[in-house]
Amino acid sequence: MDLWISMTLAAAFCQNLRSAFQKQLKDRLSTWGSTATRFVYAAPLAIAVLLALTLGRGAPLPNLSGQFFAFALVGAVAQVLATGLLIHLFSRANFAAATAFTKTEPIQAALVGILLLGDALTLPALLAILTSIVGIILISLPKGKDGKWRPDGALWIGLLSGACFAVSSVSLRGASLSLGDANVVLSTSTTLAFVTVVQSALLLVWLRLREPGQTARLFGAWRHAGWVGLIGFLGSMAWVAAFTLKDAASVKAVGQVEILFTLVASRLMFRERVSLLEVAGILLLASGVVAIVMLSR
């Protein structure tokens, strides 16, 4: 198995497990407090790995260009927004459905290309988009009182979260690749160390100014939140490494395996009842996304 595939599978598993822990923390922390656990507890780990590589093993720090800082800052902010929206979504949909909504980014990109750029719409692409749309409709039930399907707020929040995750993935890949000839581990560690420090600083300032008391609760929940940070850090390392080794389209296609992980977690960890319609919708959505990704290569 190619290394990038292994990294993608590991990243998808860690991301799903991290989200599950953050959903559990939602009962003790606010949306942004739960969001902060991913970054505040991961930042020291990222810094420690980078110091071990540069000071412990004598690896030179890569040249940090303006391009690196631009990509990294955009990726950092987009990832914070995407994570916050996902955690907020957990209170409006079950774990599997909430996660599935965020996987719509390739479909969104295809639709934007068709509407704004006049991209050609082939029959396979049309079928893939229609398959995903049917999946979204099935997931986003219930229906209105008159029996007609009406997209609720959860759908729009999920779509926006997926778009932010897309911006984050592309930006972090750009930041890592801008480091030039640095090896994968060093470029990944450098990117994550900078990004998580920025994210932690932004969230801690936000909590201090807008949600007094949340900072104390954040650090008071260290036994649980620490696992979020560790698992999130491992997942982020795997994602950035995969994006550095392989094009984003291929990584995203393999990464759809997270949908299966969420179905298992929804049932076993949260005892949520996932209806047959939701399962069918999730699988249709995932199939359409994979098809769009593969057709775009």
Side-chain angles (χ1 to χ4, degrees), residues 57-165:
R57 301 185 61 180
L61 187 70
N63 180 38
L64 306 181
S65 63
Q67 186 180 38
F68 169 83
F69 290 114
F71 275 126
L73 287 172
V74 171
V77 174
Q79 194 173 51
V80 167
L81 293 175
T83 305
L85 289 167
L86 174 60
I87 292 174
H88 176 65
L89 189 57
F90 287 150
S91 63
R92 308 190 62 162
N94 66 45
F95 183 68
T99 305
F101 281 138
T102 68
K103 297 298 181 182
T104 59
E105 173 269 324
I107 302 299
Q108 295 184 61
L111 289 173
V112 170
I114 292 167
L115 295 175
L116 299 184
L117 304 178
D119 291 343
L121 182 61
T122 64
L123 180 59
L126 174 61
L127 292 176
I129 291 172
L130 291 177
T131 299
S132 289
I133 290 175
V134 171
I136 290 170
I137 292 173
L138 292 179
I139 298 169
S140 60
L141 295 173
K143 300 176 181 178
K145 294 181 180 179
D146 56 4
K148 295 181 179 179
W149 173 76
R150 291 192 179 91
D152 60 10
L155 172 61
W156 307 121
I157 294 169
L159 294 178
L160 182 57
S161 177
C164 289
F165 272 124

